[in-house]
Amino acid sequence: MAASPSELVGWYDLSWKGGTFEVCLRPCGVFFCPRFQAQASWELVGNVVQIDWKNFGKYEMTIMGADKKMEGHKVPKNEADEGNWRKASFNRPLSAEELALIGDGAGSEWDFQWSGGSFPVQFKADGYNHFKCEDFPAHAHWSMKDNKLFINWGEYGNYEMTINGAEKTMEGGSVGGDWSKDDWRKAKLVRNLLDNKVVEACEHHH
């Protein structure tokens, strides 16, 4: 029985002759790699995962069994090139905290609260983990480690938040600040974001 795209979503250890690093197959065909970021995508064709990693090349990975191990190569296949092969092994599913941010695949919008009020912010689930705020615009990004969320908000500073995946809330504050005073921050989920990929996937499932 062939795997479905939703069954493949999660974190993998990707190996090649230069070593091993983590990559993530996100919902709705978004491919994410913290170490080598690009607006990359993945698609399941039969039992082959096709990856378009933009500047880092295209890859074809064949699913070897129920444990989601994959073996494949960079496109075009070249067995004479010892750097052409790739292997992947399933590491872990997306956590409840990650899914709270990623939503249906495009990201999520949250009501971000501070001592002066609140405003909407967006966590984009793209290849660069962009963080967007219309009220305080900056070239900003987010990252996660366990249930800790880190926001690099450009000129507005860095923030560390602890996410409650079940409640879809978060709390924390500015890095190095006094959270018992005005440097605290809280947020709650407002809605999941939509993009064309999410809409197409939704229509496909109904």
Side-chain angles (χ1 to χ4, degrees), residues 107-119:
S108 55
E109 180 173 300
W110 296 62
D111 182 50
F112 202 73
Q113 303 156 24
W114 66 303
S115 59
S118 70
F119 48 85

PDB file of all heavy atoms in Angstrom, residues 107-119:
ATOM      1  N   GLY A 107       0.930  28.418   7.343  1.00  0.00           N
ATOM      2  CA  GLY A 107       1.307  29.198   8.511  1.00  0.00           C
ATOM      3  C   GLY A 107       0.084  29.607   9.306  1.00  0.00           C
ATOM      4  O   GLY A 107      -1.013  29.050   9.121  1.00  0.00           O
ATOM      5  N   SER A 108       0.243  30.588  10.189  1.00  0.00           N
ATOM      6  CA  SER A 108      -0.845  30.961  11.084  1.00  0.00           C
ATOM      7  C   SER A 108      -0.738  32.432  11.483  1.00  0.00           C
ATOM      8  O   SER A 108       0.325  33.040  11.412  1.00  0.00           O
ATOM      9  CB  SER A 108      -0.821  30.080  12.339  1.00  0.00           C
ATOM     10  OG  SER A 108       0.451  30.146  12.969  1.00  0.00           O
ATOM     11  N   GLU A 109      -1.888  32.974  11.898  1.00  0.00           N
ATOM     12  CA  GLU A 109      -1.942  34.347  12.401  1.00  0.00           C
ATOM     13  C   GLU A 109      -2.293  34.312  13.882  1.00  0.00           C
ATOM     14  O   GLU A 109      -3.190  33.569  14.307  1.00  0.00           O
ATOM     15  CB  GLU A 109      -2.985  35.160  11.631  1.00  0.00           C
ATOM     16  CG  GLU A 109      -3.086  36.616  12.104  1.00  0.00           C
ATOM     17  CD  GLU A 109      -4.000  37.440  11.205  1.00  0.00           C
ATOM     18  OE1 GLU A 109      -3.710  37.558   9.996  1.00  0.00           O
ATOM     19  OE2 GLU A 109      -5.013  37.954  11.730  1.00  0.00           O
ATOM     20  N   TRP A 110      -1.598  35.137  14.670  1.00  0.00           N
ATOM     21  CA  TRP A 110      -1.780  35.166  16.115  1.00  0.00           C
ATOM     22  C   TRP A 110      -2.036  36.601  16.577  1.00  0.00           C
ATOM     23  O   TRP A 110      -1.572  37.558  15.952  1.00  0.00           O
ATOM     24  CB  TRP A 110      -0.544  34.612  16.826  1.00  0.00           C
ATOM     25  CG  TRP A 110      -0.268  33.163  16.537  1.00  0.00           C
ATOM     26  CD1 TRP A 110       0.028  32.599  15.323  1.00  0.00           C
ATOM     27  CD2 TRP A 110      -0.269  32.085  17.480  1.00  0.00           C
ATOM     28  NE1 TRP A 110       0.207  31.247  15.453  1.00  0.00           N
ATOM     29  CE2 TRP A 110       0.040  30.901  16.759  1.00  0.00           C
ATOM     30  CE3 TRP A 110      -0.479  32.011  18.857  1.00  0.00           C
ATOM     31  CZ2 TRP A 110       0.132  29.659  17.379  1.00  0.00           C
ATOM     32  CZ3 TRP A 110      -0.389  30.776  19.485  1.00  0.00           C
ATOM     33  CH2 TRP A 110      -0.087  29.610  18.746  1.00  0.00           C
ATOM     34  N   ASP A 111      -2.757  36.720  17.673  1.00  0.00           N
ATOM     35  CA  ASP A 111      -2.941  38.008  18.345  1.00  0.00           C
ATOM     36  C   ASP A 111      -1.808  38.150  19.356  1.00  0.00           C
ATOM     37  O   ASP A 111      -1.749  37.417  20.352  1.00  0.00           O
ATOM     38  CB  ASP A 111      -4.306  38.037  19.047  1.00  0.00           C
ATOM     39  CG  ASP A 111      -4.563  39.384  19.717  1.00  0.00           C
ATOM     40  OD1 ASP A 111      -4.391  40.416  19.054  1.00  0.00           O
ATOM     41  OD2 ASP A 111      -4.946  39.385  20.913  1.00  0.00           O
ATOM     42  N   PHE A 112      -0.895  39.082  19.089  1.00  0.00           N
ATOM     43  CA  PHE A 112       0.336  39.243  19.871  1.00  0.00           C
ATOM     44  C   PHE A 112       0.130  40.360  20.895  1.00  0.00           C
ATOM     45  O   PHE A 112      -0.155  41.502  20.529  1.00  0.00           O
ATOM     46  CB  PHE A 112       1.486  39.587  18.912  1.00  0.00           C
ATOM     47  CG  PHE A 112       2.859  39.279  19.439  1.00  0.00           C
ATOM     48  CD1 PHE A 112       3.305  37.969  19.544  1.00  0.00           C
ATOM     49  CD2 PHE A 112       3.724  40.306  19.826  1.00  0.00           C
ATOM     50  CE1 PHE A 112       4.578  37.684  20.012  1.00  0.00           C
ATOM     51  CE2 PHE A 112       4.994  40.035  20.292  1.00  0.00           C
ATOM     52  CZ  PHE A 112       5.426  38.712  20.390  1.00  0.00           C
ATOM     53  N   GLN A 113       0.260  40.025  22.168  1.00  0.00           N
ATOM     54  CA  GLN A 113      -0.076  40.953  23.248  1.00  0.00           C
ATOM     55  C   GLN A 113       1.173  41.430  23.982  1.00  0.00           C
ATOM     56  O   GLN A 113       2.106  40.669  24.199  1.00  0.00           O
ATOM     57  CB  GLN A 113      -1.025  40.271  24.237  1.00  0.00           C
ATOM     58  CG  GLN A 113      -2.306  39.753  23.603  1.00  0.00           C
ATOM     59  CD  GLN A 113      -2.932  38.624  24.396  1.00  0.00           C
ATOM     60  OE1 GLN A 113      -2.716  38.492  25.590  1.00  0.00           O
ATOM     61  NE2 GLN A 113      -3.720  37.785  23.720  1.00  0.00           N
ATOM     62  N   TRP A 114       1.142  42.702  24.361  1.00  0.00           N
ATOM     63  CA  TRP A 114       2.206  43.289  25.183  1.00  0.00           C
ATOM     64  C   TRP A 114       1.559  44.327  26.095  1.00  0.00           C
ATOM     65  O   TRP A 114       0.336  44.496  26.097  1.00  0.00           O
ATOM     66  CB  TRP A 114       3.323  43.889  24.315  1.00  0.00           C
ATOM     67  CG  TRP A 114       2.913  45.081  23.486  1.00  0.00           C
ATOM     68  CD1 TRP A 114       1.905  45.142  22.560  1.00  0.00           C
ATOM     69  CD2 TRP A 114       3.496  46.388  23.516  1.00  0.00           C
ATOM     70  NE1 TRP A 114       1.834  46.390  22.004  1.00  0.00           N
ATOM     71  CE2 TRP A 114       2.800  47.184  22.567  1.00  0.00           C
ATOM     72  CE3 TRP A 114       4.534  46.959  24.226  1.00  0.00           C
ATOM     73  CZ2 TRP A 114       3.115  48.525  22.338  1.00  0.00           C
ATOM     74  CZ3 TRP A 114       4.859  48.291  23.980  1.00  0.00           C
ATOM     75  CH2 TRP A 114       4.153  49.057  23.058  1.00  0.00           C
ATOM     76  N   SER A 115       2.373  45.025  26.881  1.00  0.00           N
ATOM     77  CA  SER A 115       1.827  45.945  27.881  1.00  0.00           C
ATOM     78  C   SER A 115       1.061  47.101  27.257  1.00  0.00           C
ATOM     79  O   SER A 115       0.197  47.702  27.897  1.00  0.00           O
ATOM     80  CB  SER A 115       2.964  46.500  28.755  1.00  0.00           C
ATOM     81  OG  SER A 115       3.924  47.181  27.951  1.00  0.00           O
ATOM     82  N   GLY A 116       1.338  47.388  25.968  1.00  0.00           N
ATOM     83  CA  GLY A 116       0.676  48.509  25.298  1.00  0.00           C
ATOM     84  C   GLY A 116      -0.529  48.110  24.459  1.00  0.00           C
ATOM     85  O   GLY A 116      -1.098  48.952  23.761  1.00  0.00           O
ATOM     86  N   GLY A 117      -0.935  46.846  24.502  1.00  0.00           N
ATOM     87  CA  GLY A 117      -2.088  46.409  23.709  1.00  0.00           C
ATOM     88  C   GLY A 117      -1.807  45.119  22.962  1.00  0.00           C
ATOM     89  O   GLY A 117      -1.060  44.268  23.444  1.00  0.00           O
ATOM     90  N   SER A 118      -2.391  44.986  21.766  1.00  0.00           N
ATOM     91  CA  SER A 118      -2.160  43.783  20.961  1.00  0.00           C
ATOM     92  C   SER A 118      -2.289  44.113  19.484  1.00  0.00           C
ATOM     93  O   SER A 118      -2.882  45.138  19.114  1.00  0.00           O
ATOM     94  CB  SER A 118      -3.140  42.673  21.343  1.00  0.00           C
ATOM     95  OG  SER A 118      -4.443  42.988  20.924  1.00  0.00           O
ATOM     96  N   PHE A 119      -1.724  43.249  18.641  1.00  0.00           N
ATOM     97  CA  PHE A 119      -1.764  43.424  17.184  1.00  0.00           C
ATOM     98  C   PHE A 119      -1.538  42.067  16.528  1.00  0.00           C
ATOM     99  O   PHE A 119      -1.002  41.144  17.163  1.00  0.00           O
ATOM    100  CB  PHE A 119      -0.699  44.441  16.730  1.00  0.00           C
ATOM    101  CG  PHE A 119       0.670  44.197  17.303  1.00  0.00           C
ATOM    102  CD1 PHE A 119       1.544  43.299  16.702  1.00  0.00           C
ATOM    103  CD2 PHE A 119       1.086  44.852  18.456  1.00  0.00           C
ATOM    104  CE1 PHE A 119       2.800  43.061  17.231  1.00  0.00           C
ATOM    105  CE2 PHE A 119       2.346  44.623  18.994  1.00  0.00           C
ATOM    106  CZ  PHE A 119       3.202  43.728  18.393  1.00  0.00           C
TER     107      PHE A 119
END
